Amino acid sequence: MKPAGYILPVIVVAQFCCTSLWFAGNAVLPDLVGAFGLSVNDLGHLTSAVQFGFISGTLVFAILTIADRFPPSRVFLVSALAGGLCNLGVVLESQTLSSLLAYRFATGFFLAGIYPVGMKIAADYYEQKLGKSLGFLVGALVLGTAFPHLIRGLGSGMPWRYVIGATSLLAALGGILLWVLVPNGPFRKAGGGTDFSGFLRIFGNRRFRAAAFGYFGHMWELYAFWAFVPLLLNAYLEQHPGVGTSVPITSFAVIGIGGLGCVLGGYISQKAGTQNTAFAALLLSGLCCLALPLAAGLGWPLFLLFLLFWGVVVIADSPLFSTLVARRAHPELKGTALTIVNCVGFSITIASIQLMGVLFRIWGGFIPFMFLALGPVLGLLALASDRKTPAS
């Protein structure tokens, strides 16, 4: 049965609205420092709190198979409302670092019921063209996470609490929109009661493991690249002092163009195959890691094109790996599979980000980015071990 034409746009808009919670705190970090007497060293802790919350949430959601036991639209709604309330908590007076960390952690926790559950809902509707559908969804995630910065930039005179309030309101509207307009999909197979074995059983399939490990290699590179783009640009400007460009705006462009990469990857996969397209994107992004020291010697226009190309390919494979994971998981554990793979993947991002921090203190410049190629190499090996490459 062909789903109604409005289903995918509604899921995409809801995903965009709700994932704006992710970096809402980042968009107002300087204001939080001034308002609550924090130190500059506390900024990294506030950023990491959301990641740790998301990891914890995905772990709980996966072990309890929540996305498979309950209607996913309802899980999405409850998570959106709860995440919005937790996000709104930072506007309260008399905050301490501990209370701010708690609110950001809780926001990340409920994002576990938004991002992977949104992909599960798409998988329940689109089996044949899932790669293209998830391309739009992950593209919405990229734009949603960057959106708070846009709100802050457009309203530079706006009180910072309005930015937090706007993202919480967006999350609530996104959750309600999806709950009202998107019922259970035709390919949904509800799970039974709590199945603690499901957490381990999903990795019993060799082809599932290949897709999951490919995704893990991709995640090793992705968030570390995004996190250190400003430092990369600063290093380039130090070597080319005559170049005049805005680091924040250029960073936004390099990261934000990934949304286009997700959509393009989805369309290309319909012709070239999902796994083949993911393999190509992972290979190209890994080569960008290794080529960076050479590319840094180029003039600004060519170097910017290089970074924009990297911004496209570094995320283009993400929805494709999620497609492979959804297709190769047990039907009754599809939501759990997507959630636990997200959990492990985001745990890996913390390790790569911490490693990059250490390497930057040792070398600085462009050499640390070459170590990000380790993830693509391992991911490519995992995909190469899967001899039966699917046609779509």
Side-chain angles (χ1 to χ4, degrees):
M1 181 180 69
K2 185 177 180 180
Y6 69 86
I7 292 293
L8 182 59
V10 169
I11 300 174
V12 169
V13 170
Q15 188 89 311
F16 166 79
C17 291
C18 294
T19 53
S20 67
L21 297 174
W22 211 305
F23 287 131
N26 296 61
V28 297
L29 281 178
D31 302 280
L32 294 178
V33 170
F36 301 116
L38 305 179
S39 71
V40 177
N41 293 331
D42 296 328
L43 302 185
H45 300 314
L46 289 172
T47 303
S48 297
V50 182
Q51 298 292 83
F52 278 113
F54 181 79
I55 292 166
S56 302
T58 51
L59 187 62
V60 171
F61 275 60
I63 291 176
L64 299 180
T65 61
I66 288 175
D68 294 302
R69 292 170 56 205
F70 302 101
S73 294
R74 189 189 306 167
V75 175
F76 192 98
L77 170 65
V78 172
S79 299
L81 295 177
L85 285 174
C86 295
N87 180 61
L88 200 58
V90 303
V91 307
L92 300 175
E93 300 290 345
S94 304
Q95 297 279 4
T96 64
L97 176 60
S98 296
S99 62
L100 289 171
L101 289 174
Y103 282 124
R104 296 308 293 158
F105 177 90
T107 301
F109 182 93
F110 287 108
L111 279 165
I114 294 171
Y115 175 40
V117 174
M119 291 193 293
K120 188 267 191 296
I121 294 171
D124 288 343
Y125 274 94
Y126 303 94
E127 278 200 329
Q128 298 303 316
K129 297 183 179 180
L130 183 58
K132 183 183 75 171
S133 303
L134 293 188
F136 281 102
L137 254 70
V138 179
L141 166 72
V142 175
L143 294 178
T145 53
F147 190 64
H149 293 283
L150 180 60
I151 297 176
R152 192 60 176 150
L154 293 177
S156 56
M158 179 191 305
W160 66 268
R161 286 180 169 85
Y162 287 17
V163 177
I164 299 297
T167 52
S168 291
L169 179 60
L170 269 179
L173 291 176
I176 293 171
L177 181 71
L178 189 137
W179 178 62
V180 170
L181 296 178
V182 183
N184 291 331
F187 301 109
R188 176 179 182 252
K189 292 188 178 181
T194 302
D195 179 11
F196 291 103
S197 67
F199 182 81
L200 299 175
R201 185 153 52 95
I202 57 175
F203 283 96
N205 184 308
R206 179 183 61 82
R207 303 201 68 217
F208 176 89
R209 290 197 305 272
F213 291 162
Y215 176 78
F216 299 156
H218 148 78
M219 288 297 281
W220 171 269
E221 177 194 7
L222 177 63
Y223 273 82
F225 171 69
W226 280 354
F228 286 90
V229 161
L231 291 180
L232 188 163
L233 290 169
N234 284 326
Y236 180 84
L237 294 178
E238 288 178 4
Q239 289 192 8
H240 302 78
V243 175
T245 187
S246 167
V247 170
I249 292 176
T250 306
S251 299
F252 175 82
V254 172
I255 297 171
I257 200 172
L260 175 63
C262 293
V263 175
L264 288 176
Y267 277 103
I268 292 172
S269 70
Q270 294 183 76
K271 298 292 185 180
T274 303
Q275 181 162 310
N276 292 336
T277 308
F279 188 97
L282 192 59
L283 174 63
L284 290 171
S285 63
L287 291 175
C288 287
C289 297
L290 298 174
L292 177 61
L294 292 176
L298 299 172
W300 174 243
L302 289 176
F303 185 65
L304 178 59
L305 287 175
F306 170 81
L307 290 181
L308 292 174
F309 175 78
W310 195 355
V312 168
V313 296
V314 75
I315 184 65
D317 49 358
S318 189
L320 303 177
F321 282 123
S322 295
T323 299
L324 294 173
V325 166
R327 285 176 177 168
R328 297 176 182 183
H330 298 288
E332 71 278 6
L333 291 173
K334 190 183 300 180
T336 297
L338 287 166
T339 304
I340 191 57
V341 167
N342 270 261
C343 175
V344 177
F346 275 84
S347 299
I348 289 171
T349 67
I350 293 178
S352 61
I353 289 172
Q354 293 298 318
L355 175 63
M356 285 288 286
V358 172
L359 296 178
F360 256 93
R361 287 194 292 272
I362 297 173
W363 286 306
F366 309 107
I367 297 299
F369 287 88
M370 298 181 70
F371 286 83
L372 294 183
L374 292 172
V377 167
L378 294 176
L380 291 170
L381 290 174
L383 291 178
S385 70
D386 182 16
R387 301 297 183 183
K388 297 178 181 179
T389 303
S392 62

